[in-house]
Amino acid sequence: MANYAYLCATEVASLYPSSQLKGFDPQGGVVAHDVSGVPLLWLAMFRPADLVTGVFTIDEDDLDDDEEAEVEATAPLVAKERALAQLDAALPVLNALFAAEGPLDAHAALLRQAVEQAPGAFVTIELDEIEGIWEEEGTFQPTLRAALAGLDGGLAGSARTAADRARLIELSRLRPGRPFPSARLIVDGLEAGDDDYWNLVRLLGTSFAAEVPWERAA
């Protein structure tokens, strides 16, 4: 069974809008999605201060015998304008951390376009399914928080840089050590290997209901 992450845009500030926000329309509200990881450039839109915790009630019909009716969950949530500003601010950090793989400016520009076009004033990631498959229980949220903190640069030094890079790779499931694929890989029908298509999705995600700029012609 696949476990998904969803990048969502909403009119009001809401965690997990697909289940918690009445009238949420995935046609426009889900900007993109991914399987088994959280794309690198989605993470770049958030910082630790944007992590919000909420308590959610689960319908009794959806509960297993050993599950509680109320669950606590933490996910990033921020105003769209701030998310895009933080994406821009993270680019120099990411380009330094992944200098061996190549710059991400063109990829970030396409994600910016997708987020700007999505209706709503807030951006969030539904990632509980990803947290649920994290190998070591209790380590996902600390890893996420540390990864987001590293996007501000922080302390210099190769050890810190290596740790920041490793956390981002673990969360996104990138396959490092090869040049990043062109942001227009699919749009321009470029020749590429399986790892290139894999990494494009790990950088940006893929379409859900609405098209995304990195998968359609301009």
Side-chain angles (χ1 to χ4, degrees):
M1 180 178 177
N3 291 73
Y4 294 93
Y6 301 91
L7 178 64
C8 299
T10 66
E11 291 292 349
V12 297
S14 172
L15 294 178
Y16 295 94
S18 65
S19 61
Q20 301 300 314
L21 192 59
K22 186 176 180 179
F24 178 78
D25 180 10
Q27 179 66 40
V30 177
V31 180
H33 78 294
D34 194 9
V35 178
S36 301
V38 185
L40 179 68
L41 290 171
W42 296 11
L43 295 169
M45 291 190 287
F46 303 95
R47 300 295 183 272
D50 304 323
L51 293 173
V52 178
T53 299
V55 177
F56 305 95
T57 302
I58 302 176
D59 191 302
E60 291 185 1
D61 294 335
D62 296 329
L63 288 172
D64 293 332
D65 291 339
D66 58 345
E67 286 187 314
E68 299 290 337
E70 288 191 340
V71 297
E72 184 177 275
T74 300
L77 172 66
V78 70
K80 182 189 289 188
E81 184 176 326
R82 180 174 169 182
L84 293 175
Q86 291 179 158
L87 173 63
D88 293 342
L91 267 178
V93 177
L94 292 177
N95 286 341
L97 290 175
F98 294 94
E101 288 80 10
L104 289 165
D105 302 70
H107 305 78
L110 292 179
L111 179 61
R112 166 180 275 276
Q113 183 181 335
V115 173
E116 286 177 334
Q117 292 174 349
F122 296 88
V123 182
T124 186
I125 303 175
E126 297 193 358
L127 42 64
D128 58 323
E129 293 184 21
I130 307 302
E131 182 172 0
I133 60 170
W134 205 249
E135 290 185 0
E136 188 174 345
E137 187 175 354
T139 61
F140 178 85
Q141 287 294 336
T143 300
L144 175 62
R145 185 173 294 275
L148 299 186
L151 293 170
D152 277 330
L155 300 175
S158 59
R160 174 63 186 271
T161 299
D164 290 337
R165 175 183 161 96
R167 280 188 287 263
L168 291 167
I169 290 171
E170 186 177 15
L171 288 163
S172 64
R173 301 186 68 223
L174 275 166
R175 293 174 180 169
R178 59 185 293 118
F180 283 142
S182 166
R184 295 181 59 84
L185 172 64
I186 296 174
V187 173
D188 291 343
L190 303 176
E191 290 188 10
D194 290 343
D195 284 345
D196 298 310
Y197 286 104
W198 174 279
N199 275 348
L200 185 67
V201 175
R202 303 312 168 200
L203 291 172
L204 292 165
T206 188
S207 61
F208 180 73
E211 291 184 316
V212 289
W214 54 95
E215 293 180 357
R216 69 166 186 256

